[in-house]
Amino acid sequence: LYDRLAGVQQSLVAVNGRSDAVTQGIVTVVKDLKELLANINRVPYEADKLVNMEGKLADYLQQLNAQPLQLDRIYVVPSGKKIPRMTSTFFQELKGSISDFLYTFKPKSELSSVDDGVLNVWVQRGRDYVNLIQQLTDEMFTAETGIKVKVNLLPDSDLLVLMNAAGIAPDVALGLSQDLPFEYALRGGLYNLAQFPDFNQLYERFAPGTWIPFYYNGGYYGVPETQTFEMLYYRKDILDRLGLKVPGTWEEVYKMLPTLQQNNMNMPPVPYTPFFYQNGAEFFTPDGLKTALSSQKGFQGFKEWTDLYNVHAADQSLASFFQGFRSGTVPMGISDITTYIQLMVAAPELNGLWGIAPVPGVKQEDGTITRWMSGGVQSGVIFKNSKKAEEGWDFLKWWTSAAVQERFGNDIETLNGVTFRWNTSNIEAFMSLPWKPEDVDSILEQWRWFKEVPNVPGSYYLARELQNAWNRTVLDGINSRSSLETAIKEIEREMTRKLAEFKFIDGSGKAVHSLNLPAVTEPWK
């Protein structure tokens, strides 16, 4: 391997005429191999180093396969005629350098330059996304509606607070995290999208569970744009070798773990949401004024979550699920859809050796399996101070439609590669993207059970205190019930403070106004 890789590195330098990023990267791998050769008896103990080398080489291979061909001009020259000069002269290079230098002084479009004559859209994503959105908007939306749109890159969501304070705000923002619409709605900064007469038609495009984070006080203040959800990833080759089947329930997982552990393998940590949701527990009461974790179902869900580590000895932490899955030390685990892209791009050696399935669930009396799971959603919003709310609503309807999402997803992936796979929340557009046919059914089944955690005043304490409770029970050995009770007190203390701040309860703690949280109890049909 050392000899072959060193030869490849030299061949690449010979082809390119010089060293580049890929060949320099290969040099580092060659040096690592040389260190292993210096002490061959250490090789069996350096499995992680070998996996890292393999990952680097897979990345370099992907870069070499995907490198573009760039042409400045094509000349068709008759036989025997002189070919035009192919290199620039000194004065041409000087002219180009001066032009580039002067261009740096040219004023660029800034967020503060809000144009009242157009619909201003800010996008919290990379420049590649922004440019393509502007292109599609000009080509499709403006051509159809006559509404001119200016799309700007929003580098940081914190700028929205500062810009609002300065009286500068866009009409529409895209790519915001799922908690921001609630935080702005709580402070009267966003438009209630449920006020539009055709809102229900837009609502039907998405799974009910994706709308939960955007609900506040009887309205919805954000539109699902993209989403990621957790899936069960498994190594087909390893499970087959061990005589194991893909688990459908947590009971089946518990039966598998001893076999994995006997073979120096394990399962990585699992988020808390499935254990609560799948046991019928909710995180907050229907009025949104207290936690609902103190119910028997809540205590049961927390106990099952901590028992996965205390009783069944699953891994308490893992630096990288991707690397563990790739090396085979973690042949099964729950991760989000971005891992799917990683495996396709950076682990070509595993093609055909891995698959995805819905997350394990809890079997019910009627034989069905509940698989509730959360994930993450990015959103689009309309700001309250916008004078173009109707135009902004037309834009959001257009942008989240199946045809536009499919076009954008295909274009961004064609231009930039598989790593830019667009995980749209529009299921019709999502299924039109180039997913593996054998994975489609699993993705659709898990999508039915997608359910996000509601946002209420002070709910940001939920994840932190549940993690603290997990630490007390798993690491310190404290009883799961008393540990969760401590967390509930801390969460409700912060909720009470924020509820009083926003006038949902009075000074004595008496309820003044209810949040009336939406309930999602059935999978999406």
Side-chain angles (χ1 to χ4, degrees), residues 43-81:
V43 172
Y45 306 101
E46 300 288 355
D48 289 344
K49 184 177 287 188
L50 289 169
V51 170
N52 289 334
M53 290 183 201
E54 196 174 29
K56 289 179 182 178
L57 292 176
D59 291 341
Y60 300 146
L61 183 63
Q62 179 67 24
Q63 291 180 43
L64 291 172
N65 284 332
Q67 61 181 337
L69 172 65
Q70 293 182 330
L71 299 174
D72 291 326
R73 295 181 180 88
I74 295 178
Y75 290 98
V76 181
V77 183
S79 177
K81 296 294 183 179

Side-chain angles (χ1 to χ4, degrees), residues 423-450:
N423 54 322
T424 175
S425 289
N426 187 305
I427 192 167
E428 185 180 344
F430 187 96
M431 300 315 300
S432 300
L433 299 176
W435 301 98
K436 294 180 182 178
E438 62 268 26
D439 296 334
V440 168
D441 289 341
S442 296
I443 293 174
L444 286 176
E445 173 62 19
Q446 191 57 59
W447 203 315
R448 297 176 62 235
W449 298 94
F450 186 88

Side-chain angles (χ1 to χ4, degrees), residues 266-269 315-325 329-330:
N266 211 334
M267 186 176 185
D315 276 337
Q316 296 177 8
S317 63
L318 185 67
S320 170
F321 171 70
F322 170 71
Q323 289 293 352
F325 188 78
T329 57
V330 181

Side-chain angles (χ1 to χ4, degrees), residues 44-307:
Y45 306 101
E46 300 288 355
D48 289 344
K49 184 177 287 188
L50 289 169
V51 170
N52 289 334
M53 290 183 201
E54 196 174 29
K56 289 179 182 178
L57 292 176
D59 291 341
Y60 300 146
L61 183 63
Q62 179 67 24
Q63 291 180 43
L64 291 172
N65 284 332
Q67 61 181 337
L69 172 65
Q70 293 182 330
L71 299 174
D72 291 326
R73 295 181 180 88
I74 295 178
Y75 290 98
V76 181
V77 183
S79 177
K81 296 294 183 179
K82 187 177 180 181
I83 298 175
R85 182 186 179 90
M86 294 296 171
T87 57
S88 57
T89 64
F90 170 78
F91 292 105
Q92 287 174 330
E93 290 182 357
L94 180 62
K95 179 182 177 182
S97 299
I98 295 173
S99 297
D100 290 342
F101 176 71
L102 294 176
Y103 179 76
T104 63
F105 294 98
K106 184 179 178 180
K108 310 295 189 300
S109 177
E110 298 178 352
L111 289 177
S112 58
S113 59
V114 174
D115 189 346
D116 292 334
V118 301
L119 184 71
N120 291 280
V121 178
W122 293 359
V123 182
Q124 193 183 353
R125 287 196 175 88
R127 176 60 66 184
D128 295 315
Y129 295 90
V130 172
N131 291 342
L132 185 54
I133 293 173
Q134 181 71 73
Q135 178 184 327
L136 292 183
T137 301
D138 294 340
E139 177 186 334
M140 302 172 69
F141 180 72
T142 301
E144 294 172 4
T145 64
I147 301 172
K148 294 183 179 180
V149 179
K150 180 182 179 183
V151 183
N152 266 325
L153 185 148
L154 176 66
D156 188 348
S157 61
D158 290 342
L159 289 176
L160 289 172
V161 179
L162 302 175
M163 301 296 263
N164 269 292
I168 304 169
D171 301 297
V172 176
L174 301 176
L176 303 184
S177 62
Q178 63 188 45
D179 58 317
L180 284 179
F182 174 81
E183 294 296 337
Y184 281 103
L186 191 63
R187 294 160 176 81
L190 296 182
Y191 202 90
N192 180 7
L193 304 180
Q195 295 178 2
F196 291 105
D198 53 351
F199 172 77
N200 287 336
Q201 297 176 18
L202 185 74
Y203 183 92
E204 296 296 327
R205 292 178 180 175
F206 309 100
T210 61
W211 285 100
I212 292 176
F214 310 130
Y215 179 88
Y216 167 67
N217 203 22
Y220 290 93
Y221 291 82
V223 173
E225 188 185 10
T226 63
Q227 73 182 76
T228 180
F229 43 84
E230 311 284 331
M231 300 291 296
L232 178 70
Y233 292 78
Y234 62 92
R235 286 282 298 270
K236 297 177 182 179
D237 54 337
I238 296 177
L239 295 190
D240 287 344
R241 176 162 54 85
L242 298 177
L244 300 173
K245 295 182 179 180
V246 180
T249 66
W250 288 108
E251 290 298 326
E252 293 174 358
V253 171
Y254 303 150
K255 292 177 181 178
M256 292 175 62
L257 285 176
T259 302
L260 294 179
Q261 292 157 1
Q262 288 165 9
N263 288 273
N264 295 318
M265 303 173 187
N266 211 334
M267 186 176 185
V270 179
Y272 58 82
T273 49
F275 295 98
F276 288 97
Y277 276 152
Q278 292 177 12
N279 280 284
E282 295 290 342
F283 291 99
F284 302 102
T285 56
D287 60 10
L289 304 181
K290 290 184 177 295
T291 68
L293 298 175
S294 57
S295 66
Q296 186 57 40
K297 293 179 179 178
F299 286 116
Q300 177 64 25
F302 183 73
K303 186 176 187 304
E304 288 190 15
W305 182 35
T306 52
D307 279 354

